Amino acid sequence: ILGYDLDREAKRLVVNHDEASRVRQIFELYLEHEGLIPTVDAITGRGWRTKSWTTKSGKALGGVRFNKNGLYDLLTNRIYLGKVT
């Protein structure tokens, strides 16, 4: 999840401060633009992409451009909304 890294040993999420700042900015952009498509356009203009990571087997995933569905998923994620401890 963007804004967090997985601590595999402790099996918990750890805040990634650089990414967390970007997530806060994405929420601010959404409030400013008041819509998914204009917000996606603003994010794309900044060159921001989704979280990228490497699986245990070494396969690289993520790091793609945001789209309307991906932005909606980010904005409604239970972790960002504080519903997960």
Side-chain angles (χ1 to χ4, degrees), residues 10-52:
K11 296 183 181 178
R12 65 185 187 112
L13 295 176
V14 179
V15 175
N16 177 319
H17 294 285
D18 292 333
E19 291 179 3
S21 173
R22 184 167 295 175
V23 170
R24 286 189 292 276
Q25 291 177 58
I26 289 171
F27 273 88
E28 290 171 6
L29 285 170
Y30 179 71
L31 290 173
E32 177 184 330
H33 293 287
E34 299 179 347
L36 293 174
I37 299 299
T39 306
V40 168
D41 292 341
I43 291 169
T44 300
R46 294 173 184 224
W48 294 347
R49 295 185 170 262
T50 61
K51 175 94 173 178
S52 61

